[in-house]
Amino acid sequence: MRSQTFLRYLLLGGVLLFLGVFLLLPIGTVLGVGCDLQLIAELFRNRIYVEGLWNSFAIALCTTGMVFVISLGLALLYDRYDFPGKSFANTALLIPMVLPPFVGALGFKQILGYHGVINALLGHLGIAPVDFLSGSGVFWAVCFIEALHLFPICYLNLVTALGNIDPAMTEAAANLGASPWQRFLKVRLPLMRSGILAGCSITLIWSFTELGTPLMFGFTRTTAVQVFNGLTELESNPIPYALVVIMLAVSALLYLVAKLALKSAPAASGGKGIVNANSTELRSWRKFLPGSAFGVVTLLAGLPHIALICCAFSTRFSGTVFPENFTFENFELALSNALVLPSIANSLKYSFLAMFIACAAGLLVALAAVRWRLKGSGIADLLAMLPLAVPGVVFAFGFLGMSVKFSWASLLFDPVNNPVWLLSIAYAVRRIPYVVRAVSSGLEQTPEELENAARNFGAGPFRTLVKVTLPLVTANLIVGGLFAFSFSMLEVSDSLILAQKQEFFPITKALYELSQILGYGTGAASAFGVWAMFFLGATLCAGALLLGKKIGAVFKF
Amino acid sequence: MAEVLIEKLTKSYDGTVKVLDGVDLHIAQGELVFLLGPSGCGKSTLLRILAGLVTADSGSISFDGRNIMSLPPEKRRAAMVFQNYALWPHLNVFENVAFGLRMEKTPRKEIEKKVMESLEQVQMERYARSAVTQLSGGQQQRVALARALAVEPALLLLDEPLSNLDANLRDTMRREIKRICTERKLTALYVTHDRREALSMADRAGVMHKGKLAQIGTPDEIYNHPADSFTARFLGDVNGLPCGGGIRPERLRISEEKGKLSARLLERAFFGDSCEWLFEVPGAGKVLVRELGAPARTIGKEYFLDYDEAFLIPAPESDDEK
């Protein structure tokens, strides 16, 4: 028994060491340089940086507002009504997640750009073209694209929260004379608080620190883009460090507030999750209304993807309503570009390594916290979830700083000559929360008695783990691994900042570079984006098939 | 099958809540012993300590004279039938039953033979390739029993194995378990809070109270000669008598002519094969009488109650004793 406990503590110690070195140290490195009062004061004196912060904050608030309205409406419809195609509509909502929003931005420009579909349509109607993406238009475009990408996460949280409300609670309110509106406002909304907080805080942090979308739209006055652009002159201007510190502080504050609010949120469940126990079946034409609402949102969210596909399969999709001349030329161009094939191989290499690292660390954290209940496992669990509150830009900067500051790190993490481990570990650390949540939820739903039974029938601790525990949480581990792999394949911040030499570029950096090439760049980048989209789509479908409705648990903290 | 000796076993949680307080118990080879008691009396904890799933604070446990306290669960050969069966959903019926044998590295042919024998014994052989999730509660219970039988344990532990079954199935399973234990001459410890189960099946039964073994003996001994009022009342109804003693309702006889106590009939409850009569007895309060059949009697009329003093048992005490 003692050696078994010792081994468990040894493994936990290993994970804590890993998290300490590759999670806390990068953050510490950034703080070490950026926590300079003079630097921060200089930052706040500079009108451009303050505007960047303000814009980032405004983007976060507007995006979260849009996400909340869209997901609350859809979640209420899903919970309240039975309608044809309900289950399909629910799955179709995951579509926006199959593309990083910055690739979506590429498609969106095809629709709303000066030479985009809308203006072509207006031209046919004899109306002068409008520059939708100039002035404040670009701000709203960034918010809209991010909202369409992020609302499924909030939606999944809200559906779960609604499903957990005991129908007897609203029935009791109705019984005491509350109108449907009062029941919603006084009973359901307060009881959904934990779901709202979880969904909205992830959206808020995510959109506050998003780099790819504003970068793609050329909206440079946001903090993340300013940090990215400041990379090249880091030696002479250390302001980006201070910007990163401010981003970290704001994200950490938002995370803490959400955590505290979550703690005080009332328990919504009456013991059993009675999903849709109160669903109403609509009659005649009304039964198609909820499905139509889902359809409109899915179509809107899918538009950038459709535009991207159209662009990828046509030689001309500029100044026209529909794409012209169907072709595979863009795919050929993309594949013949020196950037593309090596970037696919690089991304596969980094992402496989990241997946294995995230799965090993995540599994150990979940086991230590949920099953072994070791002292210190709470800290490991907390640390493992920290990446949700820390922007990718902060980590990327931290790793960069570490490679300069520590000689051992410069050997392992040479961003110029050998960034394989640097990128793999950077990807892995940010994906550990998905693995921890997926495996923890599997372990919590598996009765411990099954493992006790295995011990009782002659299996030692290791064989119990291999023969009983792991098979019972395999689906969860696979889903965590799939998320770790696919999100690593399409990771933006670390890829754009840490991959500095063309031969080490991963897919996203190659995509970004391709899109900047004048002439054939957009078509080739779109073709490349289509491949990425189908890749992530297949991964999410596999995850949804394996986990079913429990897939929402992966996006919680 | 082993002879089991438990000595001065103690266990407390958080250092304060004493769940087991110096329990001594001897189980002879091939004996079926029951542990009875209310929720929280420590009976399941004792079972889990025997299985090695919970560590005792002090005391000793030996199987055939060999102290097993330091052995991990997998080395004890104390197979358990769990209350919720704990069948592994990712393995089919055959693999669930074969699990313990595979852990022992039993040859494949022998595994096949032993698994099928065990399944036959619980009449589940035709479900060998079925998924355990497709079985009914009763069938799952049989598989859990077969899994424990297959490893030929030194001690069979049963933790309220029938509590999730309906009344009819429970009666059938009681007879099955008793038959299997007798046929295989199993040394078994069976935990339940159902006194009917214990009294009908046990070779010996012990009543636990506040972490101690209040009394152990044959079903007849503990029912008819309980050592204290707690045991008496836990195993069945007890009437307090004016003389200070207690008596079970079925030991009282109702008469219209003579008897030790005069009593006024208050209520009648009819159960088909038997009847319960509630009387008011001066100096004793309400007294319950149970008898087979249902003769006609008049509510409110005065009767006499008689009893044999050989059947007097400890009278119920204050509620603190419960």
Side-chain angles (χ1 to χ4, degrees), chain A residues 14-30:
Chain A
V15 177
L16 281 170
L17 185 70
F18 174 82
L19 293 173
V21 173
F22 299 116
L23 184 76
L24 294 182
L25 202 56
I27 298 172
T29 309
V30 169

Side-chain angles (χ1 to χ4, degrees), chain B residues 8 26 32 40 59 63 65 81 92 99 106 115-116 187 189 214 250 262 264 268-269 291 297 302:
Chain B
K8 296 186 174 53
H26 171 250
L32 173 56
F63 288 4
V81 179
N92 66 17
F99 186 94
T106 309
V115 169
M116 292 317 290
T187 306
L189 185 60
E250 66 275 15
S262 82
R264 190 165 62 89
R268 168 192 188 255
E291 60 178 6
R297 291 202 172 93
E302 292 289 331

Side-chain angles (χ1 to χ4, degrees), chain A residues 195-269:
Chain A
I196 295 172
L197 283 167
C200 287
S201 49
I202 289 184
T203 311
L204 207 61
I205 293 170
W206 199 317
S207 49
F208 178 67
T209 60
E210 167 70 11
L211 167 65
T213 313
L215 189 69
M216 215 56 156
F217 275 115
F219 189 50
T220 51
R221 296 276 169 95
T222 72
T223 306
V225 178
Q226 285 170 339
V227 168
F228 177 71
N229 288 338
L231 269 178
T232 46
E233 48 191 45
L234 210 53
E235 299 286 315
S236 57
N237 177 16
I239 284 278
Y241 277 109
L243 281 172
V244 169
V245 168
I246 300 293
M247 276 176 102
L248 179 63
V250 174
S251 302
L253 190 71
L254 288 173
Y255 181 78
L256 277 178
V257 169
K259 268 276 183 197
L260 286 174
L262 268 174
K263 260 190 183 171
S264 63
S269 170

Side-chain angles (χ1 to χ4, degrees), chain B residues 24-26 33-35 204-207 213-218 221-222:
Chain B
D24 294 308
L25 177 65
H26 171 250
V33 171
F34 271 66
L35 282 181
R204 281 189 308 144
V207 177
L213 200 54
Q215 188 182 2
I216 185 157
T218 63
E221 278 168 1
I222 60 167

Side-chain angles (χ1 to χ4, degrees), chain B residues 233-298:
Chain B
R233 205 156 58 172
F234 189 78
L235 292 171
D237 294 319
V238 185
N239 293 305
L241 297 175
C243 65
I247 194 151
R248 302 250 182 239
E250 66 275 15
R251 297 294 183 192
L252 287 166
R253 293 183 302 274
I254 305 167
S255 164
E256 292 193 22
E257 288 104 38
K258 57 172 187 168
K260 291 190 175 75
L261 307 168
S262 82
R264 190 165 62 89
L265 182 58
L266 297 177
E267 280 173 28
R268 168 192 188 255
F270 177 61
F271 294 104
D273 59 342
S274 62
C275 209
E276 279 183 4
W277 308 94
L278 189 67
F279 288 91
E280 176 77 41
V281 176
K286 291 193 172 64
V287 167
L288 189 72
V289 181
R290 193 175 294 131
E291 60 178 6
L292 285 175
R297 291 202 172 93
T298 314

Side-chain angles (χ1 to χ4, degrees), chain A residues 20 46 159 201 203 280 305 315 350 374 409 421 471 477 505 511 545 554:
Chain A
N46 189 320
V159 165
S201 49
T203 311
T280 309
H305 307 68
T315 50
Y350 306 149
L374 303 179
W421 285 105
L477 189 61
F505 279 2
L511 245 167
L545 279 176
V554 177

